Amino acid sequence: MKFNTSAHSVYNLKAHIIFVVAYQRKAITQKILVRLEEIFHEVCSHYNTHLIEFSGEADHVHLLIEYSPVVRLADLIRVLKSVSSQKIRAEYYSEIKHLLWGQRFWTRSYCVISVGDGANTEIVERYIRNQNQPK
């Protein structure tokens, strides 16, 4: 398992994030998908996070990010959605305007799932439960 370090912490934090296009419209083309990946890389680098993996389909995208404990995940997600929505709507408006209503590209919600490296929740629970407590 690979750990990252900062002045006062050792960590390995990853999150699987899913964004869905508003009204589940199939607005993401291959060209838009490539541009979204570029945008997400830019935002992640600004927040000192790393976009490990990215892909998607016509109506949603998946991001796997690695982040530091100082990053507020909800804030990062808000910026990822906001910046990508603004840029995609500005750059591809003529291609997607007939699919979208209002000012949003993404739904208001998102899905975030914590991701572990090699140990599932049951293993971690057992490890914690079996610690040698002080006597």
Side-chain angles (χ1 to χ4, degrees), residues 19 21 27-43 51 54-57 60-61 63 80-81 83-85 87-88 91-92 105-106:
F19 298 149
V21 175
I28 301 173
T29 63
Q30 182 60 35
K31 191 165 55 169
I32 291 174
L33 191 66
V34 168
R35 182 64 179 123
L36 283 168
E37 184 172 13
E38 293 168 357
I39 294 165
F40 292 142
H41 271 292
E42 290 169 14
V43 172
L51 181 63
F54 173 81
S55 191
E57 296 182 11
H60 70 279
V61 295
L63 298 83
L80 286 166
K81 287 179 71 177
V83 170
S84 62
S85 179
K87 288 188 176 191
I88 293 301
E91 296 172 20
Y92 297 95
F105 183 76
W106 305 114

Short mmCIF file of all heavy atoms in Angstrom, two decimals, residues 19 21 27-43 51 54-57 60-61 63 80-81 83-85 87-88 91-92 105-106:
data_model
loop_
_atom_site.label_atom_id
_atom_site.label_comp_id
_atom_site.label_asym_id
_atom_site.label_seq_id
_atom_site.Cartn_x
_atom_site.Cartn_y
_atom_site.Cartn_z
N PHE A 19 -20.89 11.82 -11.50
CA PHE A 19 -21.73 12.96 -11.86
C PHE A 19 -22.66 12.51 -12.99
O PHE A 19 -22.22 11.86 -13.94
CB PHE A 19 -20.92 14.15 -12.36
CG PHE A 19 -19.96 14.73 -11.36
CD1 PHE A 19 -18.78 15.31 -11.80
CD2 PHE A 19 -20.22 14.73 -10.01
CE1 PHE A 19 -17.88 15.87 -10.91
CE2 PHE A 19 -19.33 15.28 -9.10
CZ PHE A 19 -18.15 15.85 -9.55
N VAL A 21 -25.52 13.78 -15.92
CA VAL A 21 -26.01 14.91 -16.69
C VAL A 21 -27.45 15.21 -16.27
O VAL A 21 -28.23 14.29 -16.00
CB VAL A 21 -25.95 14.61 -18.21
CG1 VAL A 21 -26.57 15.75 -19.01
CG2 VAL A 21 -24.52 14.36 -18.65
N ALA A 27 -25.83 13.83 -23.28
CA ALA A 27 -25.19 15.03 -23.83
C ALA A 27 -23.68 14.90 -23.96
O ALA A 27 -23.04 15.79 -24.51
CB ALA A 27 -25.53 16.23 -22.95
N ILE A 28 -23.09 13.83 -23.46
CA ILE A 28 -21.63 13.70 -23.47
C ILE A 28 -21.20 12.93 -24.71
O ILE A 28 -21.51 11.74 -24.87
CB ILE A 28 -21.13 12.99 -22.20
CG1 ILE A 28 -21.54 13.78 -20.95
CG2 ILE A 28 -19.61 12.83 -22.25
CD1 ILE A 28 -21.22 13.07 -19.64
N THR A 29 -20.50 13.62 -25.58
CA THR A 29 -19.90 12.99 -26.76
C THR A 29 -18.46 12.63 -26.42
O THR A 29 -17.94 13.00 -25.37
CB THR A 29 -19.91 13.96 -27.95
OG1 THR A 29 -19.10 15.10 -27.60
CG2 THR A 29 -21.32 14.43 -28.30
N GLN A 30 -17.79 11.95 -27.32
CA GLN A 30 -16.38 11.60 -27.09
C GLN A 30 -15.54 12.86 -26.94
O GLN A 30 -14.67 12.95 -26.07
CB GLN A 30 -15.84 10.74 -28.24
CG GLN A 30 -14.41 10.31 -28.07
CD GLN A 30 -14.17 9.47 -26.82
OE1 GLN A 30 -15.02 8.69 -26.40
NE2 GLN A 30 -13.03 9.66 -26.19
N LYS A 31 -15.83 13.88 -27.74
CA LYS A 31 -15.09 15.14 -27.67
C LYS A 31 -15.32 15.83 -26.32
O LYS A 31 -14.37 16.33 -25.70
CB LYS A 31 -15.55 16.04 -28.83
CG LYS A 31 -14.71 17.26 -29.06
CD LYS A 31 -14.97 17.91 -30.41
CE LYS A 31 -16.42 18.26 -30.61
NZ LYS A 31 -16.65 19.12 -31.78
N ILE A 32 -16.54 15.83 -25.84
CA ILE A 32 -16.85 16.43 -24.54
C ILE A 32 -16.22 15.62 -23.41
O ILE A 32 -15.70 16.19 -22.45
CB ILE A 32 -18.38 16.58 -24.35
CG1 ILE A 32 -18.91 17.64 -25.30
CG2 ILE A 32 -18.73 16.90 -22.91
CD1 ILE A 32 -20.43 17.78 -25.33
N LEU A 33 -16.21 14.31 -23.55
CA LEU A 33 -15.60 13.45 -22.53
C LEU A 33 -14.10 13.76 -22.38
O LEU A 33 -13.58 13.88 -21.28
CB LEU A 33 -15.81 11.98 -22.88
CG LEU A 33 -15.47 10.96 -21.81
CD1 LEU A 33 -16.40 11.10 -20.61
CD2 LEU A 33 -15.56 9.55 -22.38
N VAL A 34 -13.42 13.93 -23.50
CA VAL A 34 -11.99 14.28 -23.48
C VAL A 34 -11.80 15.64 -22.81
O VAL A 34 -10.91 15.82 -21.97
CB VAL A 34 -11.40 14.28 -24.91
CG1 VAL A 34 -10.02 14.91 -24.95
CG2 VAL A 34 -11.36 12.86 -25.47
N ARG A 35 -12.66 16.60 -23.15
CA ARG A 35 -12.55 17.94 -22.55
C ARG A 35 -12.84 17.90 -21.06
O ARG A 35 -12.17 18.57 -20.27
CB ARG A 35 -13.50 18.90 -23.27
CG ARG A 35 -13.42 20.32 -22.74
CD ARG A 35 -12.04 20.94 -22.99
NE ARG A 35 -12.03 22.30 -22.48
CZ ARG A 35 -11.17 22.76 -21.58
NH1 ARG A 35 -10.22 21.97 -21.08
NH2 ARG A 35 -11.22 24.00 -21.17
N LEU A 36 -13.83 17.10 -20.64
CA LEU A 36 -14.12 16.97 -19.22
C LEU A 36 -12.92 16.44 -18.46
O LEU A 36 -12.59 16.92 -17.37
CB LEU A 36 -15.33 16.04 -19.00
CG LEU A 36 -16.69 16.65 -19.28
CD1 LEU A 36 -17.77 15.57 -19.30
CD2 LEU A 36 -17.03 17.72 -18.25
N GLU A 37 -12.24 15.46 -19.02
CA GLU A 37 -11.05 14.92 -18.35
C GLU A 37 -9.99 16.01 -18.18
O GLU A 37 -9.38 16.13 -17.12
CB GLU A 37 -10.47 13.74 -19.13
CG GLU A 37 -9.30 13.09 -18.42
CD GLU A 37 -8.84 11.80 -19.08
OE1 GLU A 37 -9.25 11.51 -20.23
OE2 GLU A 37 -8.06 11.07 -18.43
N GLU A 38 -9.78 16.84 -19.19
CA GLU A 38 -8.83 17.95 -19.08
C GLU A 38 -9.24 18.92 -17.98
O GLU A 38 -8.41 19.34 -17.16
CB GLU A 38 -8.74 18.70 -20.41
CG GLU A 38 -8.14 17.92 -21.54
CD GLU A 38 -8.33 18.59 -22.90
OE1 GLU A 38 -8.98 19.66 -22.99
OE2 GLU A 38 -7.80 18.04 -23.89
N ILE A 39 -10.52 19.26 -17.95
CA ILE A 39 -11.03 20.20 -16.93
C ILE A 39 -10.85 19.61 -15.54
O ILE A 39 -10.38 20.30 -14.62
CB ILE A 39 -12.51 20.53 -17.20
CG1 ILE A 39 -12.66 21.31 -18.51
CG2 ILE A 39 -13.11 21.30 -16.02
CD1 ILE A 39 -14.09 21.39 -19.04
N PHE A 40 -11.20 18.34 -15.36
CA PHE A 40 -11.08 17.71 -14.05
C PHE A 40 -9.62 17.63 -13.60
O PHE A 40 -9.31 17.81 -12.43
CB PHE A 40 -11.74 16.34 -14.04
CG PHE A 40 -13.24 16.39 -14.16
CD1 PHE A 40 -13.91 15.45 -14.91
CD2 PHE A 40 -13.98 17.39 -13.54
CE1 PHE A 40 -15.30 15.49 -15.03
CE2 PHE A 40 -15.36 17.44 -13.65
CZ PHE A 40 -16.02 16.48 -14.40
N HIS A 41 -8.70 17.36 -14.53
CA HIS A 41 -7.26 17.37 -14.20
C HIS A 41 -6.84 18.76 -13.71
O HIS A 41 -6.10 18.88 -12.73
CB HIS A 41 -6.41 16.96 -15.41
CG HIS A 41 -6.16 15.50 -15.53
ND1 HIS A 41 -5.39 14.78 -14.63
CD2 HIS A 41 -6.60 14.61 -16.44
CE1 HIS A 41 -5.37 13.52 -15.00
NE2 HIS A 41 -6.09 13.39 -16.10
N GLU A 42 -7.28 19.80 -14.41
CA GLU A 42 -6.93 21.17 -14.02
C GLU A 42 -7.42 21.50 -12.62
O GLU A 42 -6.67 22.03 -11.79
CB GLU A 42 -7.53 22.18 -15.02
CG GLU A 42 -6.92 22.16 -16.39
CD GLU A 42 -7.72 22.98 -17.40
OE1 GLU A 42 -8.60 23.77 -16.98
OE2 GLU A 42 -7.49 22.82 -18.61
N VAL A 43 -8.69 21.21 -12.35
CA VAL A 43 -9.27 21.51 -11.04
C VAL A 43 -8.57 20.70 -9.96
O VAL A 43 -8.21 21.24 -8.90
CB VAL A 43 -10.79 21.23 -11.02
CG1 VAL A 43 -11.35 21.35 -9.62
CG2 VAL A 43 -11.52 22.18 -11.98
N LEU A 51 -6.26 13.13 -10.17
CA LEU A 51 -7.27 12.37 -10.89
C LEU A 51 -6.59 11.09 -11.37
O LEU A 51 -5.79 11.12 -12.30
CB LEU A 51 -7.83 13.18 -12.06
CG LEU A 51 -8.91 12.52 -12.89
CD1 LEU A 51 -10.16 12.25 -12.06
CD2 LEU A 51 -9.26 13.39 -14.10
N PHE A 54 -10.47 8.26 -15.07
CA PHE A 54 -11.66 8.99 -15.52
C PHE A 54 -12.25 8.29 -16.73
O PHE A 54 -11.52 7.86 -17.62
CB PHE A 54 -11.30 10.43 -15.89
CG PHE A 54 -12.46 11.16 -16.51
CD1 PHE A 54 -13.45 11.71 -15.71
CD2 PHE A 54 -12.56 11.27 -17.89
CE1 PHE A 54 -14.53 12.35 -16.28
CE2 PHE A 54 -13.64 11.92 -18.46
CZ PHE A 54 -14.63 12.47 -17.67
N SER A 55 -13.57 8.19 -16.75
CA SER A 55 -14.28 7.69 -17.92
C SER A 55 -15.75 8.04 -17.77
O SER A 55 -16.16 8.59 -16.75
CB SER A 55 -14.10 6.18 -18.09
OG SER A 55 -14.58 5.79 -19.36
N GLY A 56 -16.51 7.71 -18.77
CA GLY A 56 -17.94 8.00 -18.67
C GLY A 56 -18.69 7.48 -19.86
O GLY A 56 -18.13 6.89 -20.79
N GLU A 57 -19.98 7.70 -19.80
CA GLU A 57 -20.89 7.34 -20.88
C GLU A 57 -21.62 8.60 -21.31
O GLU A 57 -21.30 9.70 -20.85
CB GLU A 57 -21.85 6.25 -20.41
CG GLU A 57 -21.12 4.96 -20.07
CD GLU A 57 -22.05 3.83 -19.65
OE1 GLU A 57 -23.28 3.97 -19.81
OE2 GLU A 57 -21.53 2.83 -19.14
N HIS A 60 -23.33 10.17 -17.96
CA HIS A 60 -22.67 10.28 -16.66
C HIS A 60 -21.16 10.05 -16.79
O HIS A 60 -20.70 9.52 -17.80
CB HIS A 60 -23.26 9.30 -15.65
CG HIS A 60 -22.94 7.87 -15.92
ND1 HIS A 60 -23.61 7.11 -16.84
CD2 HIS A 60 -21.98 7.06 -15.41
CE1 HIS A 60 -23.10 5.89 -16.87
NE2 HIS A 60 -22.10 5.83 -16.02
N VAL A 61 -20.42 10.47 -15.73
CA VAL A 61 -18.97 10.25 -15.70
C VAL A 61 -18.56 9.70 -14.34
O VAL A 61 -19.25 9.89 -13.34
CB VAL A 61 -18.17 11.54 -16.00
CG1 VAL A 61 -18.41 12.02 -17.41
CG2 VAL A 61 -18.47 12.63 -14.98
N LEU A 63 -15.11 9.49 -11.76
CA LEU A 63 -13.78 9.98 -11.45
C LEU A 63 -13.26 9.18 -10.26
O LEU A 63 -14.00 8.92 -9.31
CB LEU A 63 -13.81 11.45 -11.02
CG LEU A 63 -14.30 12.51 -11.98
CD1 LEU A 63 -15.81 12.60 -11.98
CD2 LEU A 63 -13.72 13.84 -11.61
N LEU A 80 -15.54 21.00 -8.94
CA LEU A 80 -15.45 20.13 -10.12
C LEU A 80 -16.72 20.26 -10.97
O LEU A 80 -16.65 20.42 -12.19
CB LEU A 80 -15.25 18.67 -9.71
CG LEU A 80 -13.87 18.28 -9.21
CD1 LEU A 80 -13.91 16.92 -8.52
CD2 LEU A 80 -12.85 18.27 -10.35
N LYS A 81 -17.87 20.19 -10.32
CA LYS A 81 -19.14 20.29 -11.05
C LYS A 81 -19.35 21.67 -11.64
O LYS A 81 -19.74 21.81 -12.80
CB LYS A 81 -20.31 19.93 -10.13
CG LYS A 81 -20.40 18.46 -9.81
CD LYS A 81 -21.55 18.16 -8.87
CE LYS A 81 -22.87 18.34 -9.58
NZ LYS A 81 -24.01 18.01 -8.72
N VAL A 83 -17.15 24.25 -12.32
CA VAL A 83 -16.21 24.64 -13.38
C VAL A 83 -16.47 23.84 -14.65
O VAL A 83 -16.52 24.41 -15.76
CB VAL A 83 -14.75 24.47 -12.91
CG1 VAL A 83 -13.77 24.63 -14.05
CG2 VAL A 83 -14.44 25.45 -11.78
N SER A 84 -16.67 22.54 -14.52
CA SER A 84 -16.89 21.72 -15.72
C SER A 84 -18.20 22.10 -16.41
O SER A 84 -18.27 22.18 -17.63
CB SER A 84 -16.86 20.23 -15.38
OG SER A 84 -17.88 19.88 -14.47
N SER A 85 -19.24 22.36 -15.63
CA SER A 85 -20.53 22.75 -16.21
C SER A 85 -20.40 24.07 -16.98
O SER A 85 -20.86 24.18 -18.12
CB SER A 85 -21.58 22.89 -15.10
OG SER A 85 -22.81 23.30 -15.63
N LYS A 87 -17.69 25.49 -18.25
CA LYS A 87 -16.83 25.39 -19.44
C LYS A 87 -17.49 24.58 -20.56
O LYS A 87 -17.41 24.97 -21.73
CB LYS A 87 -15.47 24.80 -19.05
CG LYS A 87 -14.63 25.78 -18.27
CD LYS A 87 -13.22 25.29 -18.05
CE LYS A 87 -12.41 26.36 -17.34
NZ LYS A 87 -10.99 26.07 -17.32
N ILE A 88 -18.12 23.48 -20.21
CA ILE A 88 -18.77 22.66 -21.25
C ILE A 88 -19.92 23.41 -21.89
O ILE A 88 -20.08 23.41 -23.11
CB ILE A 88 -19.23 21.30 -20.66
CG1 ILE A 88 -18.02 20.45 -20.25
CG2 ILE A 88 -20.14 20.56 -21.65
CD1 ILE A 88 -17.04 20.13 -21.37
N GLU A 91 -18.32 26.11 -24.16
CA GLU A 91 -17.57 25.62 -25.31
C GLU A 91 -18.39 24.76 -26.28
O GLU A 91 -18.06 24.69 -27.46
CB GLU A 91 -16.36 24.83 -24.83
CG GLU A 91 -15.35 25.66 -24.06
CD GLU A 91 -14.25 24.84 -23.41
OE1 GLU A 91 -14.01 23.68 -23.83
OE2 GLU A 91 -13.61 25.35 -22.46
N TYR A 92 -19.44 24.12 -25.80
CA TYR A 92 -20.19 23.18 -26.63
C TYR A 92 -21.69 23.51 -26.67
O TYR A 92 -22.51 22.64 -26.96
CB TYR A 92 -19.99 21.74 -26.13
CG TYR A 92 -18.57 21.29 -26.22
CD1 TYR A 92 -17.72 21.39 -25.12
CD2 TYR A 92 -18.05 20.79 -27.41
CE1 TYR A 92 -16.39 20.99 -25.20
CE2 TYR A 92 -16.73 20.39 -27.50
CZ TYR A 92 -15.91 20.50 -26.39
OH TYR A 92 -14.60 20.11 -26.48
N PHE A 105 -25.51 21.75 -16.26
CA PHE A 105 -25.12 20.61 -17.09
C PHE A 105 -25.31 19.33 -16.29
O PHE A 105 -25.76 18.33 -16.82
CB PHE A 105 -23.65 20.76 -17.54
CG PHE A 105 -23.21 19.64 -18.46
CD1 PHE A 105 -23.61 19.64 -19.79
CD2 PHE A 105 -22.41 18.62 -18.00
CE1 PHE A 105 -23.22 18.61 -20.64
CE2 PHE A 105 -22.01 17.59 -18.85
CZ PHE A 105 -22.42 17.58 -20.17
N TRP A 106 -24.95 19.37 -15.01
CA TRP A 106 -25.06 18.20 -14.12
C TRP A 106 -26.32 18.29 -13.27
O TRP A 106 -26.84 19.37 -13.03
CB TRP A 106 -23.85 18.14 -13.17
CG TRP A 106 -22.53 18.12 -13.83
CD1 TRP A 106 -21.58 19.10 -13.76
CD2 TRP A 106 -21.96 17.09 -14.65
NE1 TRP A 106 -20.47 18.74 -14.49
CE2 TRP A 106 -20.68 17.51 -15.05
CE3 TRP A 106 -22.43 15.86 -15.10
CZ2 TRP A 106 -19.86 16.74 -15.87
CZ3 TRP A 106 -21.61 15.09 -15.91
CH2 TRP A 106 -20.34 15.52 -16.29
#
